[in-house]
Amino acid sequence: MAASGKYALVAVPAPLDEPLTYAVPEALRGRLDVGMRVLVPLGRRRVTGVVVGFERESPVTGVKEVAEALDDEALLDPAFLKLCRWAADYYVAPLGEVLAAALPPLLRAESRLVVTFAHEPDGLQGTLDREVLDAVRSRGPLTPAALSRRFPRRGVKAVVDRLAAAGAVVLEDRLRGHVREARRRRQPRPETTAGAQSGRAPVLTEEQQEVLRSIDPRLEQGGFETMLLHGVTGSGKTEVYLRAMEQVRRRGRQSLILVPEIALTPQLLDRLEARFPGDVAVLHSGLTAAERWRHWWRIAHGAVKVVAGARSAVFAPVRELGLIVVDEEHDTSYKQEEGVRYHGRDLAVVRGRIVGCPVILGSATPSVESYHNARGGRYRMLELTERVEARPMPRVEIVDLKTRPGQSSADGLFSAPLLSALRENHERGRQSLIFLNRRGFASFLQCWSCGFVFRCPRCSISLTYHLGRDSTFCHHCGFRQRKADACPECGNLSLSEVGFGTERVEHELRRLLPKARIGRMDRDTTSARGAQERIFRAWEKGDLDVLVGTQMIAKGHDVGGVTLVGVVLADSSLNIPDFRAAERTFQIISQVAGRAGRAREPGRVIVQTLVPGHYCFEPARAHDYPTFFATETGFRREVGYPPFQHLVHLRLDGTHEDKVARGARDLARALRREKPKAPLEILGPAPAPIARLRSRYRWQILLKGRSRPALLALARRAAALVPRGRVFRIHVDVDPHNML
Ligand code: ADP
Ligand code: ZN
């Protein structure tokens, strides 16, 4: 139903805190509705905005008009807009930016300014005018930015203005090609999935039945409730999700299932397709814009019963939501680390509350926050304590690298127990998984004689050496430099390779196990489209004996032939300066260990470390989550970290070190003068652990307190105190996960 007024409030994808007011032209009166997309002028361009309300009077005079309606009916329902508003408010982000993050790019038509040739003027002022005009004439419409690139540092803007005044060129506002597509109402095409197996469901275990019986009334009646499914690896959590989703389908409703990274879970997609043939839509960033667009429309039209996706799928336009599942709810990839810094799992719970549907969070190693909520009664705890078919949990051994240095391996990458286990497992024709949370060959190159270390010119980070490409790389900004032959400081020719990554591990393994078929899965080997799935399928089929990898290999894989898992150096995740380092390490060891022994044969796990006494190891060895939780929360309570107190991380960055430092000090001082409604701590300012990134200097301030409202009020104040577009910028991160 089109409701309408003379003025429309439109949220536009720009860093504005409030929606903008536009006049509704005569032709569109009565045709616009809340939730419809419109094309509106913004500055010198036109952009896609979403109507979020109407006004009878305009608060200001001389407002611009809505240029065009892009939909015939509301595309986004009120619950969707409510979720976006909630996210904007909580994460201290403009509503327009949340909408931009929530909508696939093809739904966002945009115009840009272009310079087009008009006619040959009688005379021209100078050679530059001549060159610019010729470029515009011969190359067709060009953006001012393209012209500036073509004639760098020559004041092209003034030339264009002069040419426009003489009538030689015109500046036009052109819509990008896809607007026509964005306007067309596409009917969903039925998708048939050829070859999907019949998807026979197994007979449920006692524990699975019990869990499903206990949530059955909630799934039938609907209504908001959050449940934490804590089930050990291989206990059949996925089967519980599938049954719950089937029940929701029988009620004619749709399910949304979030997974950490779709590309890492091809098996889950197989299982979804097998159980809901032709009824699954997928949303994630690995799809092309056109694919995303197609899936989005199928969802918006109610053409599918199941929607699966990564983080941003929490915004999928599902209308008849009956259930939201968040698989591996502890996974860090649910946190968006750029732009609007939202947490997909937390927004899933908020969405469940807004639409009134149950939410299941599942994990073998729940986040401390979720487990705390379940303990405290805010979530319902559901537990699966045993693996299916009474398979034993893998046997985990912690090896102290200090007392058991590599005896057989030249450089100590592999301790004797790990090496002999690897050899034995290979001789028995079984598969081994070798995990190290660091890619590359050497962590850095250092001059043997003067100590010089190769560093990124743009970041305060040393460069990682990659043997295969004979270059050093910055893992933060991508900077690449060919490996030097000599030290640039002292000319010495011997540069030593310090530290190691997955490439080195693979290299060593080829030497130690010459007959084994060895694969590697990390960001370097999976950058090509489809490469990751290819490696995984080879692994799944048993075409690889050993798979080396980063955390990519730790997630959800279920490959029966894996009977040995080795963690080369658990310390690499323990030593990051982050209060969650122990939690991450516990999670990653448990998850990677969980890949072992998932079929008939029991699994064995060997974890190498230099600090075997650390409190995360014994519970990881004993598969004892509650003990880890108790120790960890003891520390967190003492120092006032989440879940006992909440954090907001403020980062300031800019191109001038002194200006950023001064800005951070001024901001901290101003915040300390505020009178918050509840006690808060303001820590800092201090330079960030990574003090420079992509040529920008970084400082930080940490806000801490028990009262979320007081904390958010102060964060909003901070955002307001740093004007946008100045020499430095502020980034507000509510409930931060990465404070490097
Ligand atoms: P989790 O997600 O808890 O790690 P999965 O759901 O992936 O566990 O289940 C592990 C394996 O056990 C999968 O291969 C799955 O098909 C199988 N499985 C699940 N439930 C049962 C069951 N009741 N009986 C037999 N096999 C099952
Ligand atoms: Zn860099």
Side-chain angles (χ1 to χ4, degrees):
M1 255 320 289
S4 193
K6 278 173 77 175
Y7 297 95
L9 291 172
V10 179
V12 294
L16 303 165
D17 292 322
E18 298 296 327
L20 296 175
T21 306
Y22 288 91
V24 180
E26 206 59 55
L28 290 178
R29 291 275 161 81
R31 280 186 47 207
L32 292 185
D33 199 355
V34 169
M36 275 171 64
R37 292 171 310 140
V38 286
L39 201 60
V40 291
L42 180 71
R44 295 166 83 178
R45 305 182 308 144
R46 280 173 293 167
V47 298
T48 298
V50 174
V51 179
V52 295
F54 292 99
E55 301 272 4
R56 268 199 226 113
E57 312 274 330
S58 166
V60 285
T61 52
V63 296
K64 293 182 183 165
E65 284 193 343
V66 172
E68 234 173 293
L70 293 173
D71 300 311
D72 317 325
E73 56 187 60
L75 180 69
L76 308 167
D77 67 4
F80 179 94
L81 291 174
K82 211 167 161 186
L83 177 68
C84 292
R85 275 214 196 88
W86 190 95
D89 200 47
Y90 186 80
Y91 292 110
V92 193
L95 178 59
E97 284 193 355
V98 175
L99 283 165
L103 298 177
L106 275 183
L107 287 171
R108 306 193 303 257
E110 259 183 16
S111 72
R112 56 181 178 174
L113 221 53
V114 290
V115 184
T116 6
F117 178 76
H119 79 98
E120 185 59 46
D122 296 337
L124 278 176
Q125 270 198 10
T127 48
L128 181 59
D129 289 29
R130 177 82 264 155
E131 284 173 41
V132 170
L133 186 63
D134 286 348
V136 170
R137 177 162 36 195
S138 61
R139 304 266 156 177
L142 290 172
T143 63
L147 278 172
S148 296
R149 274 197 301 278
R150 191 172 277 267
F151 304 100
R153 286 188 289 280
R154 288 168 69 187
V156 167
K157 196 177 167 303
V159 176
V160 169
D161 286 346
R162 206 153 52 228
L163 290 172
V169 299
V170 282
L171 267 164
E172 308 180 295
D173 157 54
R174 279 228 182 148
L175 282 176
R176 300 228 178 141
H178 54 242
V179 70
R180 242 168 285 111
E181 205 183 343
R183 207 182 290 132
R184 212 187 317 144
R185 298 286 293 179
R186 292 246 328 233
Q187 282 310 308
R189 227 186 316 140
E191 305 246 321
T192 48
T193 12
Q197 323 94 341
S198 65
R200 283 242 310 284
V203 179
L204 295 175
T205 64
E206 285 285 329
E207 282 192 323
Q208 285 171 324
Q209 282 180 35
E210 179 131 349
V211 163
L212 283 162
R213 252 200 314 273
S214 77
I215 64 174
D216 177 87
R218 174 58 68 202
L219 296 173
E220 275 313 306
Q221 293 152 24
F224 171 58
E225 179 178 7
T226 306
M227 293 162 280
L228 176 64
L229 177 58
H230 176 212
V232 298
T233 53
S235 59
K237 293 182 290 297
T238 313
E239 192 55 42
V240 171
Y241 310 147
L242 293 171
R243 297 291 174 113
M245 288 156 78
E246 281 170 355
Q247 188 176 350
V248 165
R249 177 176 59 178
R250 285 195 293 277
R251 292 182 56 223
R253 300 197 158 243
Q254 295 163 299
S255 301
L256 172 60
I257 175 165
L258 301 185
V259 293
E261 279 159 73
I262 285 265
L264 302 182
T265 43
Q267 283 183 321
L268 178 75
L269 289 188
D270 295 349
R271 280 165 85 178
L272 286 174
E273 267 300 342
R275 297 286 268 277
F276 303 91
D279 242 349
V280 183
V282 197
L283 288 176
H284 63 95
S285 55
L287 300 174
T288 64
E291 286 168 335
R292 263 172 95 176
W293 154 266
R294 193 163 46 81
H295 282 290
W296 205 89
W297 280 104
R298 291 175 70 218
I299 301 164
H301 286 279
V304 293
K305 286 288 172 271
V306 172
V307 179
R311 177 176 67 223
S312 66
V314 73
F315 293 109
V318 189
R319 294 201 175 209
E320 299 289 332
L321 253 183
L323 172 68
I324 306 177
V325 175
V326 183
D327 189 24
E328 312 285 5
E329 66 87 29
H330 65 278
D331 198 280
T332 49
S333 71
Y334 284 120
K335 181 67 161 59
Q336 164 80 29
E337 295 290 2
E338 265 162 30
V340 186
R341 291 166 160 78
Y342 64 91
H343 199 296
R345 173 202 61 217
D346 297 346
L347 279 187
V349 173
V350 171
R351 187 165 185 185
R353 195 176 67 214
I354 289 173
V355 303
C357 83
V359 180
I360 301 178
L361 310 179
S363 176
T365 51
S367 62
V368 166
E369 285 89 341
S370 295
Y371 200 78
H372 178 75
N373 282 335
R375 278 282 183 92
R378 288 181 57 188
Y379 297 170
R380 190 182 344 168
M381 183 91 84
L382 307 169
E383 293 192 289
L384 296 173
T385 60
E386 283 174 7
R387 286 188 157 184
V388 297
E389 295 176 336
R391 287 167 202 154
M393 293 301 289
R395 195 175 88 223
V396 180
E397 296 150 56
I398 310 291
V399 171
D400 185 349
L401 280 179
K402 292 195 303 295
T403 58
R404 309 189 77 154
Q407 286 141 12
S408 333
S409 146
D411 41 27
L413 276 184
F414 300 99
S415 63
L418 178 53
L419 189 58
S420 64
L422 261 169
R423 287 203 164 114
E424 191 197 329
N425 209 46
H426 176 51
E427 272 153 29
R428 288 178 35 241
R430 303 293 184 267
Q431 291 173 286
S432 307
L433 200 59
I434 300 294
F435 170 81
L436 177 65
N437 207 5
R438 216 158 51 187
R439 62 201 171 88
F441 190 82
S443 306
F444 54 92
L445 291 179
Q446 188 164 32
C447 171
W448 213 218
S449 118
C450 76
F452 175 86
V453 170
F454 289 82
R455 294 183 166 277
C456 177
R458 299 196 284 252
C459 311
S460 53
I461 290 287
S462 56
L463 296 170
T464 306
Y465 175 50
H466 290 243
L467 177 75
R469 302 177 65 184
D470 198 30
S471 297
T472 54
F473 288 85
C474 172
H475 282 186
H476 287 267
C477 76
F479 173 83
R480 174 182 183 174
Q481 191 170 51
R482 283 228 157 261
K483 188 189 178 201
D485 296 324
C487 171
E489 288 287 304
C490 70
N492 173 34
L493 289 177
S494 66
L495 299 173
S496 62
E497 294 153 3
V498 186
F500 49 87
T502 43
E503 192 187 16
R504 171 80 153 270
V505 173
E506 181 196 359
H507 195 78
E508 280 301 303
L509 279 172
R510 287 192 189 286
R511 204 171 55 75
L512 296 166
L513 300 173
K515 295 213 188 70
R517 296 162 300 171
I518 298 171
R520 170 157 61 94
M521 193 190 273
D522 58 25
R523 281 235 304 281
D524 298 318
T525 62
T526 56
S527 54
R529 216 171 135 76
Q532 188 164 342
E533 177 151 3
R534 265 198 307 284
I535 299 171
F536 177 71
R537 296 295 183 197
W539 178 237
E540 188 183 28
K541 276 197 351 226
D543 291 347
L544 292 172
D545 302 310
V546 183
L547 182 63
V548 179
T550 54
Q551 68 265 37
M552 282 187 174
I553 63 171
K555 301 182 184 181
H557 297 173
D558 184 26
V559 174
V562 184
T563 48
L564 176 68
V565 168
V567 176
V568 176
L569 188 65
D571 313 37
S572 61
S573 59
L574 259 185
N575 292 334
I576 47 172
D578 183 329
F579 73 91
R580 287 192 181 86
E583 179 182 359
R584 296 247 169 86
T585 307
F586 175 82
Q587 282 163 349
I588 215 146
I589 294 176
S590 310
Q591 293 290 344
V592 77
R595 303 310 113 215
R598 294 172 74 92
R600 283 171 305 279
E601 265 188 77
R604 182 173 176 200
V605 182
I606 296 176
V607 179
Q608 305 189 135
T609 172
L610 289 162
V611 285
H614 190 281
Y615 67 90
C616 75
F617 288 121
E618 177 51 27
R621 195 195 58 72
H623 308 288
D624 181 1
Y625 181 87
T627 295
F628 173 75
F629 177 82
T631 317
E632 178 66 24
T633 46
F635 290 128
R636 301 248 190 122
R637 192 192 298 273
E638 227 166 81
V639 290
Y641 273 127
F644 303 101
Q645 293 197 38
H646 310 295
L647 301 175
V648 173
H649 184 240
L650 304 175
R651 176 179 298 128
L652 291 126
D653 66 15
T655 45
H656 293 81
E657 192 168 14
D658 47 337
K659 282 182 188 158
V660 176
R662 198 172 336 118
R665 285 194 201 100
D666 290 348
L667 179 62
R669 210 173 304 121
L671 292 177
R672 288 197 167 99
R673 279 199 297 269
E674 298 284 318
K675 298 268 171 291
K677 292 214 163 51
L680 296 178
E681 274 179 79
I682 298 167
L683 307 170
I690 298 177
R692 196 162 75 108
L693 188 66
R694 293 171 217 276
S695 303
R696 293 180 75 84
Y697 293 90
R698 312 155 93 228
W699 277 63
Q700 60 187 25
I701 298 171
L702 194 62
L703 311 180
K704 192 164 112 176
R706 284 200 167 75
S707 158
R708 272 192 207 274
L711 209 51
L712 290 182
L714 196 63
R716 281 186 204 109
R717 188 77 195 110
L721 281 168
V722 181
R724 289 194 178 92
R726 282 252 313 261
V727 277
F728 65 99
R729 283 194 304 242
I730 185 168
H731 308 272
V732 178
D733 193 352
V734 178
D735 304 330
H737 276 62
N738 178 354
M739 294 184 278
L740 295 179

